[in-house]
Amino acid sequence: MEISVEKKAQLEQSARDAARHSYSPYSGFPVGAAVLTGSGAIYAGCNVENVSLGLTLCAERNAVARAIGAGERRITAVAVYTPTPTPTPPCGACRQVLAEFAAEAVVICLCAGSTRRETTLKALLPEAFAANGDHGKQEDEETHG
Ligand code: THU
């Protein structure tokens, strides 16, 4: 699906803005993410760390949860911003969570420098886990082998 230049700019700005709300006192590594949904709405999230470090929530999963909680089901584009010299693509866990709703999505990775990386979720997570070989959709329950 073609995303308008304006929507893309809005999505990117949302990811940058979200990073400002990052709660990352333990790593000092703020992340902002934004997802564009099938309805055209944008939802953003930041990473939320915890003193029990393993409970940390990544920015991408925070943005996905906001979108899904608002009733959205399809994500067409994802932007991730880190205030680093080079772009940071989503971690493996976030890639798998994105695969549930954003299998066809474009992923834009932005940083403080001028470099940016534009790729797809499919390129970042080839052969995503899918219970029925179909990203967890249970339409073909008779396929077992
Ligand atoms: N983080 C994200 O928000 N997204 C990722 O895809 C990878 C890592 C966060 C988690 C933690 O707060 C900080 O970055 C350092 O790992």
Side-chain angles (χ1 to χ4, degrees), residues 43-95:
Y43 300 84
C46 60
N47 53 334
V48 183
E49 297 188 345
N50 189 272
V51 65
S52 177
L53 301 176
L55 300 181
T56 291
L57 176 65
C58 287
E60 294 90 329
R61 277 180 276 170
N62 192 358
V64 168
R66 285 186 163 185
I68 299 311
E72 304 281 358
R73 286 294 180 269
R74 195 167 66 91
I75 292 169
T76 58
V78 181
V80 182
Y81 172 78
T82 51
T84 48
T86 52
T88 309
C91 76
C94 288
R95 292 178 199 196

Side-chain angles (χ1 to χ4, degrees), residues 38 47 81 96 106 108 110 114 132 135:
N47 53 334
Y81 172 78
Q96 182 65 43
V106 167
I108 306 161
L110 307 157
S114 57
N132 287 317
H135 293 293

Side-chain angles (χ1 to χ4, degrees), residues 4 10-11 13 20 22 27 38 40 42 53 93 119 137:
S4 73
Q10 252 183 309
L11 182 72
Q13 192 54 50
R20 291 208 305 264
S22 164
S27 72
I42 291 170
L53 301 176
T119 183
K137 294 189 193 77

